[in-house]
Amino acid sequence: MQRNNDIENIVVEYTPRLLGYIRSQVSSREDAEDILQDVFYQLARASGEGGSEIERVSSWLYRVARNSVLNFWRKKREIPLETEDEVCEDIAATLFNTSPDSPDTVYLRRLVWLELDSALADLPQEQSEVFCMTVFDGIPVKDISNATGIPVATLLSRKHYAVKFLRTRFHELYDALISQS
């Protein structure tokens, strides 16, 4: 249990600085937060393997953050034409558009909501729950951790995997819709 408290303390202590560093390397806050989640996931994984303790936590975290940013940019180059952010923005605009609806927009919105429901159902329950609580209900991860007793790093890891899965799923839907237009 002590190890989980150590990880939680590290997350609380280093989040502002690491997020600032990562944010200076990428263009969107959402991407920076995703990379930060990956850094803390790797910390939780490294701590959970029962191996030797990380001697210089700060150096280790920044090295992992730098490598994660590099991996992010490598992957970004693989996506043709539309970037992931544009895909997410287009889907969000469809879901939450408040302008008068045409029949096509109503149909498209219904299709996207159905796909979201299906995608959330395909996720493991713990990933789906933490995603819904943080994104739809706006509950901070730390509050969820306090209420459930699940470590912050575990919750961040679950949300990270949910976001990755949903991005892939919606990118496929977006590609299918674009190819039919």
Side-chain angles (χ1 to χ4, degrees), residues 125-161:
Q125 182 178 357
E126 60 273 358
Q127 290 177 13
S128 178
E129 286 175 352
V130 74
F131 178 83
C132 289
M133 285 190 279
T134 57
V135 173
F136 297 130
D137 300 332
I139 302 171
V141 173
K142 189 163 179 116
D143 291 352
I144 297 169
S145 175
N146 291 337
T148 62
I150 300 170
V152 169
T154 301
L155 293 170
L156 288 172
S157 172
R158 290 175 182 174
K159 182 179 178 186
H160 172 76
Y161 282 116

Side-chain angles (χ1 to χ4, degrees), residues 67-135:
N67 291 339
S68 295
V69 167
L70 291 173
N71 289 338
F72 166 81
W73 284 114
R74 280 187 202 114
K75 289 178 186 175
K76 267 303 205 202
R77 278 187 250 138
E78 296 172 6
I79 298 174
L81 302 177
E82 300 284 340
T83 65
E84 286 183 15
D85 286 340
E86 291 168 335
V87 171
C88 292
E89 288 172 9
D90 287 350
I91 291 171
T94 300
L95 289 174
F96 303 111
N97 187 2
T98 57
S99 64
D101 296 329
S102 70
D104 289 341
T105 304
V106 171
Y107 172 75
L108 188 57
R109 183 177 297 129
R110 186 175 302 130
L111 179 67
V112 172
W113 276 112
L114 287 172
E115 182 64 22
L116 178 61
D117 284 341
S118 174
L120 289 171
D122 288 346
L123 280 169
Q125 182 178 357
E126 60 273 358
Q127 290 177 13
S128 178
E129 286 175 352
V130 74
F131 178 83
C132 289
M133 285 190 279
T134 57
V135 173

